[in-house]
């Protein structure tokens, strides 16, 4: 994900639109690229995509909300995804999600006040042999327990604190 | 208007292909002459650290200046032992190693890549039966039952090298097809008995025939790779490990339908599958096996990749096609079926990944050969993603007709930790939970439907005594309720009502009348829904009510969860006689400070603070094993 780019968001958006045709079949790929670029679908980007493809904005919004992949609030610096697949559920995935909500102080779909962590659930990432699984950023954490949740989050916070201290 | 078969030019496709094949053969043989290392780098391997293993191999080999290529391959199916490595030596055994780490890589390079010690103590076995003193993979009990046809290349070829696929016979079925009349190909597929591997099991040859005869142009070929069932990862593994077999199957379908237009709809959560499939497409184009005028014939075929955006219902044909068109993926009334009116209202042939991957081998080895595998009504093999409470999690492929018991115990290695098996959930949220007493049911389309489950796309989750079947039903209903597209009232509201009743039961608020209501409502949802999602959504409820009624009754009548899972119906309790008073593990890990010591330093849980996370039970040292769960919560022994 490149959502930390310093370029102006309008430029980033027109860059995405520049390699698509203004057709309905391109709408979902456009929204996917916007999501990839910004980490979520900003309202202005959806309006711009509607304008570009000549599809009513309400229709664009209807499509975006239909599909699970799109989110409408920014991702945290550490996007946390708890796998809620069958295999994960059967070995305590729900307890792990409880622990994440408790430790982060947010509910699924939200982001912490400081913007550090966002919490989502995913249907299945297909790593069933490592269940239960939590994905943070690009890292897959295998065989997570509620206790390990605390350790993982503490580790990330510590790493971030270390980095800030280093900069100072 | 039926398409013309390709006309011959001065250089036939066969001659062009022979040149391509020679090139592939020399590349492959050059590789075989050197020691080389295969590292499984599908998503399963990566999650277990395969990329570290791969780079450690590369670094070690560079450091020691050895000529031994490291080849990334796909998934061998033994996911429980990832990261998997195979070392192949021209004049010695080919040996497979499991659970490799950076440390074991150094041993292997020193011991076997450079030296002659196959390091059997680290090995799963040799690839061939080579030496009676060495363990061998084909002699593992699972391979008595396994038959790898669809997965035949997975884990043995570099999915990013078209030459590997060609060397192992790839694309020769396409060449054969290009010289065969379309009707003959359809007849061959019909004769093979192949049925759609997406789950419904519709006869593939019949579908091909219907689409071929449908009027309307252009026609479309669509590959359904929207593998949405949680707990299923067969299609992902095939796309990541052997993408060309799917491409070849699609091109043959395109030729047979006389169309140049192909689409594959891949699930958005599978970035590596998309990447490898796109690489494969590019390589096929470069070789002239895909694109305009295939190998100089006058047949052209193109494949576009459409990435899904995360909607379970898009696994349904009409919803999937709307999604490609850029609309909300909501199924429509059928007929007309997609073979007559599919993508953009044109005749469309939609098959699953495994169905397309089966086509080349049927044309290669013949319908008769294919039809000799499996049962009367279900030919060929079935691929399952085996997960849950089973020792050998991973991909398995068995002939149709193998019993669930053999699949779970012989191939899957049984239930770990000496636990008792309770049942098996097949076919994801659309499938059903079958009890231990039905484990002798053969795996085939008809037998599984008869017992209330279905073949589904191939997810198989083993459940043991620690799993609550009411909770399992609630889990699946929660999933389908969220994924219902909302078009049909019975599906949209009915699944919500089913879920509400199940939540009541799992939280101790159930009434005995709910049992009849569940079944009645489930039947109504089946009746009142348009698509497969609604038709099959009640299956997990119906099968658990049918086979595990006693568990429902315990929840409702005794407010008790026999498997000790449902949070509202259990309590954690520390047995005072077992508590080691000096140990503080539970106190330190409790997130809500609910555990205190009494005057004798015995630990006691304050039930009003306990959030039932289970930390205390997990950290209590096994030699004390003092923390237990009880149900109902009132069963906690009270101090006098």
């Amino acid at each position: 994900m490149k959502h930390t780019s310093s370029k102006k968001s309008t430029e980033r958006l027109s860059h995405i639109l520049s390699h698509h045709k203004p057709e309905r079949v391109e709408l979902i790929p456009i929204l996917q690229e916007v999501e990839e670029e910004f980490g979520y679908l900003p309202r202005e980007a959806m309006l711009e995509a509607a304008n570009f493809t000549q599809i009513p904005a309400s229709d664009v919004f209807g499509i975006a909300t239909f599909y699970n992949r799109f989110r409408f609030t920014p991702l945290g610096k550490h996007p946390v995804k708890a796998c809620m697949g069958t295999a994960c559920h059967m070995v305590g995935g729900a307890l792990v999600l409880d622990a994440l909500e408790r430790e982060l102080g947010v509910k699924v779909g939200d982001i912490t006040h400081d913007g550090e962590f966002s919490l989502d659930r995913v249907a299945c990432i297909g790593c069933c042999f490592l269940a239960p699984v939590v994905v943070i950023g690009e890292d897959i954490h295998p065989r997570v327990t509620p206790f390990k949740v605390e350790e993982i989050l503490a580790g990330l916070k510590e790493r971030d604190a270390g980095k800030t201290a280093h900069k100072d | 208007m039926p398409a013309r078969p390709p006309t011959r030019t001065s250089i036939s496709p066969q001659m062009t292909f022979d040149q391509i094949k020679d090139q592939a053969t020399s590349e492959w043989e050059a590789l075989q002459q050197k020691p080389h290392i295969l590292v499984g780098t599908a998503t399963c391997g990566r999650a277990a650290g395969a990329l570290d293993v791969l780079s450690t191999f590369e670094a070690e080999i560079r450091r020691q200046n050895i000529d031994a290529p490291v080849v990334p391959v796909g998934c061998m199916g033994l996911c429980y032992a990832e990261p998997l490595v195979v070392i192949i030596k021209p004049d010695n055994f080919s040996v497979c190693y499991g659970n490799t780490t950076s440390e074991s890589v150094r041993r292997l390079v020193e011991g076997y890549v450079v030296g002659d010690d196959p390091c059997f103590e680290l090995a799963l076995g040799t690839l061939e039966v080579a030496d009676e003193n060495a363990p061998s993979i084909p002699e593992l009990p699972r391979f008595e039952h396994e038959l790898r046809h669809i997965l035949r290349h997975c884990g043995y070829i570099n999915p990013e090298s078209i030459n590997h696929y060609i060397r192992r016979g790839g694309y020769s079925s396409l060449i054969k097809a290009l010289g065969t009349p379309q009707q003959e190909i359809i007849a061959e597929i019909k004769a093979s008995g192949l049925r759609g591997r997406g789950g419904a099991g519709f006869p593939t040859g019949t579908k091909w025939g219907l689409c071929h005869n449908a009027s309307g142009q252009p026609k479309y070929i669509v590959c359904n790779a929207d593998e949405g069932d949680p707990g299923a990862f067969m299609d992902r593994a095939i796309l990541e490990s052997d993408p060309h077999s799917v491409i070849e199957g699609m091109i043959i379908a395109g030729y047979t339908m006389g169309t140049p237009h192909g689409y594959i709809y891949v699930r958005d959560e599978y970035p590596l599958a998309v990447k490898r499939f796109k690489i494969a497409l590019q390589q096929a184009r470069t070789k002239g096996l895909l694109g305009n005028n295939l190998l100089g014939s006058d047949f052209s075929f193109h494949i576009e990749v459409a990435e899904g955006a995360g909607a379970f219902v898009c696994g349904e044909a009409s919803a999937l096609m709307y999604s490609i068109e850029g609309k909300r993926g909501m199924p429509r009334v059928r007929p007309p079926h997609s073979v007559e009116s599919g993508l953009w209202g044109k005749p469309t042939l939609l098959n699953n990944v495994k169905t397309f991957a089966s086509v080349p081998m049927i044309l290669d080895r013949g319908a008769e050969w294919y039809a000799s595998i499996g049962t009367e009504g279900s030919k060929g093999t079935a691929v399952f993603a085996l997960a849950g409470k089973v020792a050998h999690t991973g991909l398995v492929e068995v002939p149709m007709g193998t019993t669930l018991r053999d699949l779970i115990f012989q191939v899957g290695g049984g239930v770990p930790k000496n636990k008792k098996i309770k049942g098996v959930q097949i076919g994801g949220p659309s499938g059903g939970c079958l009890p231990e007493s039905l484990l002798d049911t053969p795996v085939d389309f008809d037998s599984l439907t008869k017992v209330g489950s279905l073949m589904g796309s191939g997810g198989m989750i083993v459940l043991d005594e620690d799993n609550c079947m009411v909770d399992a039903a609630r889990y699946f209903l929660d999933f389908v309720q969220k994924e219902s597209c909302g078009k049909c009232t019975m599906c949209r509201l009915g699944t919500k009502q089913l879920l509400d009743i199940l939540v009541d039961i799992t939280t101790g608020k159930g009434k005995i009348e709910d049992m009849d209501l569940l079944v009645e409502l489930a039947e109504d949802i089946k009746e009142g829904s348009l698509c497969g999602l609604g038709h099959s959504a009640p299956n997990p409820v119906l099968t658990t009510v049918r086979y595990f009624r006693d568990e429902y009754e315990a929840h409702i009548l005794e407010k008790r969860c026999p498997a000790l899972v449902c949070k509202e119906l259990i309590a954690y309790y520390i047995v005072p006689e077992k508590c080691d008073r000096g140990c503080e593990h539970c106190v330190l890990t409790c997130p809500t400070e609910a555990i205190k010591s009494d005057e004798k330093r015995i630990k006691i849980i304050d039930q009003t603070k306990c959030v039932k996370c289970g930390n205390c039970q997990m950290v209590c040292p096994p030699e004390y094993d003092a923390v237990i769960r009880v149900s109902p919560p009132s069963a906690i022994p009270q101090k006098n």
Side-chain angles (χ1 to χ4, degrees), chain A residues 24-25 28 32 62-63 66-70 84-87 89-91 95 98 102 121 123-130 140 145-147 150, chain B residues 44 47 79 230-231 236 267-268 307-310 323-329 389 393 467 471 475-476 478 483 567 589 591 611-613 615 618:
Chain A
R24 177 176 278 273
V25 65
I28 293 173
Q32 283 169 330
I63 287 166
F66 182 83
Y67 293 100
N68 295 327
R69 121 149 228 175
F70 301 117
M84 289 288 119
T86 318
H89 178 79
M90 297 304 170
V91 289
L95 294 177
D98 280 352
R102 192 170 56 237
R121 47 184 289 165
C124 179
I125 57 162
C127 293
C128 305
F129 63 109
L130 299 173
I140 295 174
T145 61
F147 182 56
E150 287 179 47
Chain B
C44 47
C79 302
R236 185 202 69 203
R267 192 171 172 232
D268 155 66
E307 286 177 57
S323 182
I324 294 180
E325 292 173 15
K327 299 173 185 156
R328 289 164 72 105
K389 306 291 180 62
T393 316
N467 291 118
D471 174 69
Y475 165 79
F476 286 115
D478 181 54
E483 293 294 338
K567 250 167 69 176
T589 52
V611 290
K612 301 172 189 178
C613 69
N615 274 356
M618 273 179 255

Side-chain angles (χ1 to χ4, degrees), chain B residues 74-398:
Chain B
C75 172
M76 276 178 77
L78 314 173
C79 302
Y80 66 96
E82 292 283 3
L84 270 181
V85 163
V86 176
I87 298 180
I88 297 176
K89 294 189 80 169
D91 45 10
N92 213 331
F93 311 124
S94 302
V95 189
C96 176
Y97 306 90
N99 301 309
T100 44
T101 58
S102 300
E103 287 76 55
S104 59
V105 165
R106 288 182 198 104
R107 277 263 333 267
L108 291 174
V109 171
E110 203 60 54
Y112 198 44
V113 180
V114 178
D116 272 320
D117 167 19
C119 304
F120 281 135
E121 67 283 7
L122 297 175
L124 288 177
T126 54
L127 287 194
E128 300 87 25
V129 184
D131 182 332
E132 57 188 31
N133 298 318
S136 83
I137 300 250
E139 283 179 330
L140 292 177
R142 66 182 290 162
F143 286 97
E144 260 178 56
H145 298 273
E146 275 214 87
L147 191 59
R148 297 205 164 210
H149 287 315
I150 297 175
L151 303 175
R152 62 201 179 282
H153 301 309
C154 296
Y156 297 100
I157 62 171
N158 179 352
E160 297 185 16
S161 163
I162 190 171
N163 281 342
H164 284 200
Y165 179 69
I166 292 172
R167 175 59 184 81
R168 284 176 65 111
Y171 286 107
S172 53
S173 299
L174 170 66
I175 307 307
K176 213 175 186 180
L178 289 180
T180 311
Q182 294 160 332
Q183 288 294 357
E184 269 180 42
I185 297 175
I186 294 170
E188 189 78 359
I189 302 287
K190 271 188 189 162
S192 74
L194 175 65
R195 292 171 68 172
R197 285 324 196 235
F202 191 79
T204 307
T206 309
K207 198 186 228 182
W208 283 38
L210 288 169
C211 187
H212 181 264
N213 296 338
S215 56
Q217 291 289 346
K219 292 178 183 176
Y220 293 96
I221 307 297
V222 178
C223 177
N224 184 350
D226 190 47
E227 187 175 47
D229 284 3
F233 46 90
M234 305 75 50
D235 295 352
R236 185 202 69 203
I238 293 168
L239 294 177
E240 287 177 355
S241 310
D242 186 20
H244 285 287
S245 65
V246 182
I247 295 175
E248 187 179 359
M250 288 179 73
I251 305 174
I252 294 170
Y255 166 77
T256 313
M257 300 305 131
T259 176
H261 305 294
Y263 281 90
I264 181 167
Y265 188 88
V266 192
R267 192 171 172 232
D268 155 66
E269 287 90 338
Y270 289 173
L272 183 65
V274 171
K275 179 178 163 238
R276 287 191 167 163
F277 196 82
K278 285 182 173 169
I279 291 172
L281 287 177
Q282 192 47 46
Q283 291 180 339
R285 285 186 203 113
T286 309
K287 296 270 180 201
L289 292 159
L290 187 69
N292 288 326
N293 301 92
L294 277 178
L295 296 174
S297 73
D298 65 359
F299 168 64
S300 302
F301 194 70
H302 306 273
I303 297 176
E304 304 281 340
V305 179
E307 286 177 57
F312 177 66
V313 71
C314 286
E316 202 274 344
S318 60
L320 183 152
M321 292 179 206
Y322 284 137
S323 182
I324 294 180
E325 292 173 15
K327 299 173 185 156
R328 289 164 72 105
M330 294 166 92
R332 62 162 172 77
V333 184
R334 291 188 291 178
H337 291 282
S338 52
V339 286
E340 289 154 357
S341 176
L343 202 52
W344 289 292
K346 301 295 181 191
T348 302
L349 179 76
L350 178 128
N351 282 136
N352 171 266
V353 168
K354 295 178 288 292
T355 314
F356 280 122
S358 301
V359 167
M361 67 180 166
I362 290 172
L363 295 195
D364 179 37
R365 303 178 70 169
E368 209 175 303
W369 164 79
Y370 190 82
S372 70
I373 307 161
T375 65
E376 184 61 35
S378 305
K379 300 299 184 192
T381 54
V383 182
F384 288 100
L386 200 53
K389 306 291 180 62
V390 63
H392 299 161
T393 316
L395 281 188
V396 302
E397 183 174 358
V398 292

Side-chain angles (χ1 to χ4, degrees), chain B residues 293-594:
Chain B
N293 301 92
L294 277 178
L295 296 174
S297 73
D298 65 359
F299 168 64
S300 302
F301 194 70
H302 306 273
I303 297 176
E304 304 281 340
V305 179
E307 286 177 57
F312 177 66
V313 71
C314 286
E316 202 274 344
S318 60
L320 183 152
M321 292 179 206
Y322 284 137
S323 182
I324 294 180
E325 292 173 15
K327 299 173 185 156
R328 289 164 72 105
M330 294 166 92
R332 62 162 172 77
V333 184
R334 291 188 291 178
H337 291 282
S338 52
V339 286
E340 289 154 357
S341 176
L343 202 52
W344 289 292
K346 301 295 181 191
T348 302
L349 179 76
L350 178 128
N351 282 136
N352 171 266
V353 168
K354 295 178 288 292
T355 314
F356 280 122
S358 301
V359 167
M361 67 180 166
I362 290 172
L363 295 195
D364 179 37
R365 303 178 70 169
E368 209 175 303
W369 164 79
Y370 190 82
S372 70
I373 307 161
T375 65
E376 184 61 35
S378 305
K379 300 299 184 192
T381 54
V383 182
F384 288 100
L386 200 53
K389 306 291 180 62
V390 63
H392 299 161
T393 316
L395 281 188
V396 302
E397 183 174 358
V398 292
M400 292 278 188
T402 306
T403 65
L404 288 167
R405 196 178 299 281
D406 282 343
L407 188 59
I408 294 164
F409 287 92
Q410 300 301 316
V411 182
V415 182
K417 297 183 194 161
N418 286 323
K419 295 278 183 179
K420 211 171 151 286
I421 188 166
K422 182 180 273 183
V424 57
Q425 208 286 336
I426 307 165
S430 334
C433 298
L434 302 180
E436 202 271 341
S437 59
L438 284 177
L439 287 188
D440 292 310
T441 308
V443 168
D444 65 62
F445 290 106
D446 310 312
S447 303
L448 288 178
T449 310
K450 215 177 288 168
V451 290
S453 182
L454 46 81
M455 189 83 166
S457 60
M460 186 178 282
I461 314 274
V462 179
L463 306 171
D464 72 5
E465 54 190 289
D466 292 340
N467 291 118
C468 168
M469 302 315 279
V470 189
D471 174 69
R474 189 195 55 76
Y475 165 79
F476 286 115
L477 255 295
D478 181 54
F479 180 85
V480 288
Q481 186 269 134
K482 285 196 176 81
E483 293 294 338
S484 171
C485 79
K487 185 167 182 167
C488 308
T489 315
M490 279 318 291
C491 178
R492 182 180 70 243
L493 299 178
T495 54
K496 175 75 175 104
Q497 293 305 319
L498 274 185
L499 176 63
D500 285 350
I501 297 171
L502 290 169
V503 169
D504 277 351
I505 296 175
T506 52
T507 52
K509 294 180 217 129
K511 300 184 286 289
I512 196 68
E513 308 88 82
D514 289 344
M515 298 292 294
D516 294 334
L517 189 57
L518 277 177
V519 176
E520 197 186 321
L521 190 52
E523 297 295 349
D524 289 346
I525 295 170
K526 281 184 166 223
E527 287 280 310
S529 305
L530 268 181
C531 81
L533 190 149
H535 286 173
S536 56
N539 280 350
V541 176
L542 288 172
T543 49
T544 47
V545 169
R546 183 165 156 193
Y547 298 121
F548 302 94
R549 197 177 181 94
D550 55 329
E551 288 198 34
Y552 279 88
E553 287 173 352
H555 282 76
I556 295 171
L557 299 173
E558 302 166 44
K559 310 296 172 203
R560 179 173 70 86
C561 175
L564 304 171
V565 170
C566 296
K567 250 167 69 176
E568 279 77 3
L569 302 184
I570 61 162
Y572 284 84
Y573 174 67
I574 300 173
V575 182
E577 298 76 35
K578 285 185 167 186
C579 177
D580 175 84
R581 289 173 287 173
C583 155
E584 297 260 299
H585 281 60
C586 57
V587 178
L588 295 172
T589 52
C590 178
T592 56
E593 297 179 9

